[in-house]
Amino acid sequence: MIRLVKRPQPSRFWTAVTPILAVLLTMVVGGIMFALLGKPPLEAIRIIFWDPLFHPQFAAYSRPQLLVKAGPLILIAIGLSIGFRAGIWNIGAEGQYIMGAITGAGVGLAFYPMESFIIFPLMVIAGALGGWAWGMIPALLKVKFGTNEILVSLMLVYVAEAWLASVSSGLLKNPEGRGFPGSRNLQQYDSAANAEIIAGTGMHWGVVAALIAVIFAYVLLTRHIRGFHIRLTGEAPRAARFAGVKPARVVLFCLGLSGALAGMAGLFEVAGPAGQITIDFNSGYGFTAIIVAFLGRLHPVGILLAGLLMALTYIGGELAQLMLSLPGASIQLFQGMLLFFLLATDVFTNFRVQLGRKGAA
Amino acid sequence: MKDTLLEIKGLTKAYPGVVANSDVSFRIGKGEVHALLGENGAGKSTLVKMIYGLVKPDSGRMALNGADYAPADPHAARASGVAMVFQHFSLFEALSVAENVALGMEDPPKPRDLARQIREVSETYGLPLDPDRTVGGLSAGERQRVEIIRCLLQDPRLLIMDEPTSVLTPQEVEILFQTLRKLSAEGTAILYISHKLEEIRSLCETATILRLGKVVDTCDPREASARELAEMMVGSSFDPVQREAKAFGAVRLKVSGLSAKSPGEFGTSLKDISFEVRAGEVLGIGGVAGNGQDELLAALSGEIVTAADMVSFDGTPVGAQGPEARRKAGVLSAPEERLGHAAAPDMSLTENAVLTAAARQGLMRGGFLDWPKARDFAERVIEAFDVRTPGPGTAARALSGGNLQKFVIGREVMQDPQVLVVNQPTWGVDAAAAAAIRQALLHLAAQGTALVVISQDLDELMEVADRFGALNEGRLSEIRPVQGLTVEQIGLMMGGAHDMEVAHVDA
């Protein structure tokens, strides 16, 4: 008989090893899936994990994409992870991301065609505020009426999508766009553009913000009393109240912060890689960031690595679709496996496997 | 005497550090309502767990209807006709009554038959209950009926009830008692666990009284007075305390007219509590568990915020302040529940030291934590209170209960408290360590700290306290000096027998 025995404390070894193990298991099972689809498994794995970085022909294009994709994922996931640590489940980062993009781009477009160095910083602030405000809706409802933040934040994603559809064909529509829905292209408006800082690297201001967020979260969670209280709230709510933590303040702080970071990510995306507000400029980063947060074990450095890995599977997945004509769904399945195996192997961190008969009690 | 149904001979069960039951023997007659009476920690739960097959005895025998009875697990116990209703219900709120009953049965009949059976049983025994209702919408009393009906459908010969009235309203208690009397009249024996004396006197024919794991006495509770029962329960192992009167300093902690609603569903609200504790004085608060001890600690620690003037420290009203502000001022506390309340299970001892000591011990500067200093403080607590652990990096849940208790008490004692409130300071700690903790508390008092010690252990309270009061349904009894206090008086103060109110007058 196989039994799981709870460890007296989480194993350090397994905490470090499980992400690697999960990636390896994903490669094996994903490879089998690709083989069943009639594609060469080893080649598919190589295209997904290796070619985006080192292929002589494609790498020049796909390498900068790594940072472009990883930036928003990391920025959003960092905000989410702080809430998750406190047991506050913001599932609606996608909505906060969209609202941040709308408010940030709205501020930029309001100044058009004026040129000033102050415009872009104002847009960043507006984006953060937009996301923050959208995050405060579930926060206030939870604090005042005890609603479930998971449901409210998720539902607000669909409200945000409705707003996006409305403004891209109404309020923010490009008056010179010959009637097509979508705003002016911010890439072509210098003061508002989130341009590459170093050409050809994919490094834009959103990536810088993501790195700052990683450092900020690390310091907050490991060095500051407020981060300590956040972790305490997640691990033992009663002990947190005994320590003097006010639960409502933690809810407001966590949802506000994750909303603001998601909103900033939205602004960096719309003013940079996406360029304009369109009905479908958002590409699901808000949801994927949830996977990134867990893949990174809710640890800032882990999230940094997980964001890069996730971005890699995105780019590599697109490449594999292109080169091996793999179906898109199989790539999504592949990414899903990654989270699945991570959660599955996670058991070993807190439990150890005992073989044999049940010992005497 | 009725024919014997269950006979228990010399049951003994020891856990590391504590003997829960020692050579327990008694017999339950057929159709008898038998009370098992004792304070918390007297060994009642372990005893019934052995009868129900949840715990195996170290030695001793049981016989059911004359045949050897040694249930390996609750299935075996139920198959032999022993059923049990637990204090905490195990019901699924989203499912209906009938579905919940079916889930708990060994071999449930078809849903339609089951619903009919539930109706029959509920009518026969006067337990109104609709099998189609969802459990989520039921009151505590109705939920208990679900558990009872689940047991009755198995046609038990012995029904064990663990503190069944602790979650019931007086009307529900009356209904329950009628049911139990009817069951008894039909020949089902009932083993009734409680520490509410009046209930036992009105319901039970025989009472076995446990104290510290041993049977102290067996009597007919209808003939004994509540006072006698309380005395037996408390024991007369201690002599009235002889202690010279000490001179105390100024009033440090003043509680006046403290009323507060319990945050928990089954908690006890505090009602108009007033007392004063002077510098160097130890106030002992006794009482049966669940009579407002947790709530009183929460109101003093700041977890429950009240009107400002209900709690004052050195003349300053602090009732409206949260735990952090009170701690800074010097009002510290250690709650009863170690894991999850006093300490976070998955955090290290260093982190758990930060939990209450961050501000007072200067473990942070401008909000930034000084981990080396925190580790240092945790190490000092570990050292001073002989906490057995590999080091301050160990997770709290890896420690044994007693060792963690030493740590959470030590954490507060080492912070130079001006007022210290502790609940069950030596719960689960071995005798030597318990003595050390009490010594540390007395040492604090000698330095001018005002202490409130809440405890179920009367011996402990008699040892450390200068004055004694008892909590009873959220009210605090009159407070008396420990010197010269007799067991009889203590029994009266904590007995919870309202018919004895008059007895207070002569004091």
Side-chain angles (χ1 to χ4, degrees):
Chain A
M1 195 166 67
I2 301 172
R3 289 203 312 145
L4 289 174
V5 181
K6 193 156 169 111
R7 295 176 190 274
Q9 46 190 334
S11 154
R12 291 241 171 113
F13 172 76
W14 281 103
T15 311
V17 163
T18 47
I20 300 165
L21 191 65
V23 171
L24 289 176
L25 280 169
T26 308
M27 285 185 178
V28 172
V29 179
I32 294 171
M33 175 181 74
F34 293 140
L36 289 174
L37 288 167
K39 311 287 177 190
L42 288 178
E43 201 185 336
I45 302 284
R46 196 202 70 219
I47 290 174
I48 293 174
F49 287 103
W50 184 259
D51 283 1
L53 297 176
F54 303 108
H55 193 277
Q57 204 180 331
F58 303 122
Y61 164 76
S62 54
R63 221 179 280 168
Q65 282 295 308
L66 191 68
L67 288 183
V68 168
K69 290 236 183 330
L73 285 176
I74 294 168
L75 191 55
I76 301 169
I78 287 286
L80 293 180
S81 70
I82 290 172
F84 293 170
R85 276 287 187 86
I88 294 157
W89 307 100
N90 179 6
I91 305 298
E94 183 76 4
Q96 293 139 20
Y97 169 89
I98 292 172
M99 293 314 279
I102 294 175
T103 51
V107 166
L109 293 167
F111 282 105
Y112 183 85
M114 193 178 97
E115 296 284 353
S116 163
F117 71 93
I118 197 77
I119 293 176
F120 187 65
L122 279 179
M123 288 166 65
V124 175
I125 293 168
L129 281 176
W132 174 82
W134 211 243
M136 285 315 269
I137 299 173
L140 288 171
L141 288 173
K142 183 179 178 70
V143 170
K144 288 276 165 218
F145 304 109
T147 56
N148 182 327
E149 78 279 12
I150 301 176
L151 286 174
V152 177
S153 64
L154 181 61
M155 290 301 143
L156 282 170
V157 173
Y158 305 107
V159 180
E161 281 176 351
W163 272 101
L164 179 63
S166 160
V167 296
S168 55
S169 56
L171 191 65
L172 298 182
K173 194 168 87 166
N174 183 0
E176 293 153 27
R178 289 189 289 267
F180 283 104
S183 70
R184 285 182 199 279
N185 195 324
L186 293 165
Q187 292 270 39
Q188 293 156 11
Y189 173 22
D190 284 343
S191 287
N194 173 23
E196 272 186 313
I197 299 168
I198 307 165
T201 58
M203 176 78 113
H204 61 66
W205 287 109
V207 179
V208 175
L211 291 175
I212 294 171
V214 169
I215 295 164
F216 166 80
Y218 184 81
V219 172
L220 176 76
L221 288 172
T222 60
R223 295 271 177 271
H224 200 271
I225 187 78
R226 179 151 248 195
F228 176 75
H229 282 164
I230 285 170
R231 289 193 288 131
L232 191 58
T233 304
E235 294 200 11
R238 245 186 117 195
R241 277 198 295 278
F242 175 60
V245 180
K246 294 199 176 69
R249 270 174 55 183
V250 176
V251 170
L252 294 176
F253 177 80
C254 288
L255 279 167
L257 181 73
S258 54
L261 291 185
M264 269 165 71
L267 176 275
F268 288 127
E269 186 68 15
V270 79
Q276 58 177 154
I277 292 273
T278 56
I279 197 158
D280 55 358
F281 91 93
N282 59 316
S283 29
Y285 283 139
F287 289 121
T288 311
I290 298 172
I291 303 181
V292 171
F294 279 105
L295 200 59
R297 335 220 51 149
L298 308 182
H299 188 283
V301 177
I303 288 170
L304 178 71
L305 299 174
L308 290 169
L309 178 69
M310 208 65 198
L312 184 64
T313 65
Y314 262 101
I315 301 158
E318 276 170 29
L319 215 55
Q321 287 181 48
L322 200 72
M323 293 179 52
L324 296 175
S325 57
L326 274 168
S330 69
I331 299 297
Q332 285 175 5
L333 211 60
F334 190 74
Q335 289 164 343
M337 276 180 208
L338 201 54
L339 182 67
F340 175 82
F341 282 120
L342 185 85
L343 295 177
T345 51
D346 211 24
V347 170
F348 298 113
T349 314
N350 277 309
F351 293 87
R352 103 196 126 73
V353 178
Q354 198 176 52
L355 293 169
R357 289 194 61 242
K358 191 163 135 182
Chain B
M1 183 120 188
K2 295 173 179 172
D3 290 350
T4 303
L5 172 72
L6 178 70
E7 182 167 21
I8 289 171
K9 277 189 211 146
L11 276 193
T12 298
K13 176 75 195 177
Y15 291 107
V18 56
V19 179
N21 284 136
S22 165
D23 195 22
V24 172
S25 304
F26 65 95
R27 55 179 67 199
I28 302 171
K30 284 179 180 150
E32 180 181 83
V33 186
H34 192 112
L36 201 53
L37 185 61
E39 289 189 282
N40 278 58
K44 293 169 296 182
S45 296
T46 308
L47 183 57
V48 293
K49 277 180 186 162
M50 288 194 281
I51 299 173
Y52 194 53
L54 280 166
V55 171
K56 270 209 184 84
D58 295 338
S59 64
R61 291 194 301 113
M62 292 184 277
L64 192 69
N65 271 331
D68 257 1
Y69 171 68
D73 52 33
H75 291 278
R78 284 196 293 265
S80 314
V82 176
M84 179 159 174
V85 175
F86 289 88
Q87 193 175 1
H88 300 285
F89 312 137
S90 47
L91 298 172
F92 294 94
E93 299 210 338
L95 299 181
S96 75
V97 169
E99 285 164 333
N100 266 293
V101 169
L103 278 173
M105 289 176 78
E106 299 291 314
D107 184 19
K110 288 201 189 79
R112 195 180 305 162
D113 296 342
L114 183 62
R116 186 178 46 76
Q117 285 177 22
I118 291 174
R119 279 207 188 82
E120 273 173 22
V121 172
S122 73
E123 276 164 29
T124 319
Y125 293 101
L127 292 170
L129 196 61
D130 178 355
D132 298 324
R133 273 185 66 189
T134 311
V135 167
L138 301 183
S139 74
E142 288 170 312
R143 285 173 197 218
Q144 188 180 55
R145 280 177 215 157
V146 180
E147 296 268 10
I148 295 174
I149 285 176
R150 180 145 80 185
C151 290
L152 294 186
L153 284 173
Q154 324 252 1
D155 218 3
R157 284 176 286 169
L158 174 64
L159 180 62
I160 305 171
M161 305 212 68
D162 189 4
E163 307 210 359
T165 57
S166 56
V167 296
L168 300 186
T169 64
Q171 293 78 9
E172 286 172 333
V173 169
E174 203 37 58
I175 295 175
L176 175 68
F177 280 11
Q178 284 167 12
T179 306
L180 295 182
R181 288 193 187 104
K182 188 166 168 96
L183 274 171
S184 152
E186 288 174 6
T188 306
I190 291 156
L191 184 58
Y192 188 90
I193 301 162
S194 180
H195 42 226
K196 295 191 183 166
L197 306 176
E198 276 312 303
E199 272 177 11
I200 285 174
R201 290 189 61 218
S202 74
L203 182 71
C204 302
E205 302 155 45
T206 318
T208 295
I209 294 143
L210 283 182
R211 178 170 156 75
L212 298 174
K214 293 196 176 81
V215 175
V216 191
D217 204 348
T218 303
C219 66
D220 185 337
R222 291 165 301 186
E223 284 165 17
S225 69
R227 174 187 302 194
E228 285 165 348
L229 289 175
E231 269 181 50
M232 286 188 239
M233 197 164 114
V234 168
S236 43
S237 62
F238 59 83
D239 302 317
V241 182
Q242 297 302 326
R243 193 177 298 166
E244 72 266 46
K246 281 183 272 180
F248 301 119
V251 172
R252 305 216 73 176
L253 178 71
K254 183 170 193 259
V255 173
S256 49
L258 170 66
S259 296
K261 206 175 151 18
S262 170
E265 204 183 337
F266 295 134
T268 308
S269 298
L270 300 175
K271 294 164 198 111
D272 197 23
I273 289 179
S274 298
F275 61 84
E276 288 178 354
V277 192
R278 293 172 174 272
E281 190 184 25
V282 181
L283 173 65
I285 293 185
V288 171
N291 272 299
Q293 283 90 339
D294 286 348
E295 289 78 5
L296 179 61
L297 183 124
L300 295 178
S301 74
E303 277 178 89
I304 297 180
V305 178
T306 57
D309 56 359
M310 284 183 180
V311 182
S312 309
F313 166 59
D314 281 351
T316 316
V318 297
Q321 292 178 352
E324 269 180 324
R326 291 193 204 190
R327 235 171 242 141
K328 228 173 185 168
V331 181
L332 307 188
S333 55
E336 176 185 7
E337 182 72 46
R338 298 178 277 248
L339 274 183
H341 194 184
D346 285 327
M347 287 187 160
S348 71
L349 293 181
T350 303
E351 287 172 299
N352 273 300
V354 170
L355 200 146
T356 66
R360 199 167 169 76
Q361 287 297 303
L363 305 182
M364 59 179 181
R365 234 170 287 119
F368 285 92
L369 294 162
D370 186 342
W371 286 116
K373 213 170 164 188
R375 198 170 305 121
D376 198 49
F377 175 67
E379 266 165 5
R380 289 208 322 267
V381 174
I382 290 169
E383 169 88 33
F385 281 79
D386 187 30
V387 180
R388 310 278 163 83
T389 172
T394 315
R397 73 166 141 106
L399 268 65
S400 74
N403 273 310
L404 186 56
Q405 182 69 26
K406 289 190 256 176
F407 183 80
V408 299
I409 294 285
R411 180 181 67 187
E412 308 307 325
V413 170
M414 301 276 288
Q415 288 191 64
D416 184 28
Q418 301 306 300
V419 168
L420 179 62
V421 186
V422 292
N423 190 0
Q424 298 274 56
T426 60
W427 185 241
V429 180
D430 63 67
I437 288 177
R438 287 179 203 136
Q439 200 50 51
L441 295 178
L442 289 173
H443 187 66
L444 276 180
Q447 290 174 332
T449 304
L451 279 101
V452 178
V453 178
I454 305 171
S455 179
Q456 311 285 316
D457 182 347
L458 282 173
D459 292 335
E460 170 169 287
L461 291 177
M462 291 306 116
E463 187 183 329
V464 300
D466 300 302
R467 290 190 300 148
F468 174 84
L471 276 172
N472 186 5
E473 292 182 4
R475 286 193 181 81
L476 188 64
S477 73
E478 181 196 3
I479 294 174
R480 296 184 185 187
V482 164
Q483 190 183 3
L485 204 58
T486 63
V487 174
E488 194 172 85
Q489 287 167 324
I490 294 171
L492 284 173
M493 289 166 87
M494 63 180 279
H498 294 293
D499 61 343
M500 299 193 298
E501 284 301 331
V502 274
H504 286 288
V505 178
D506 63 1

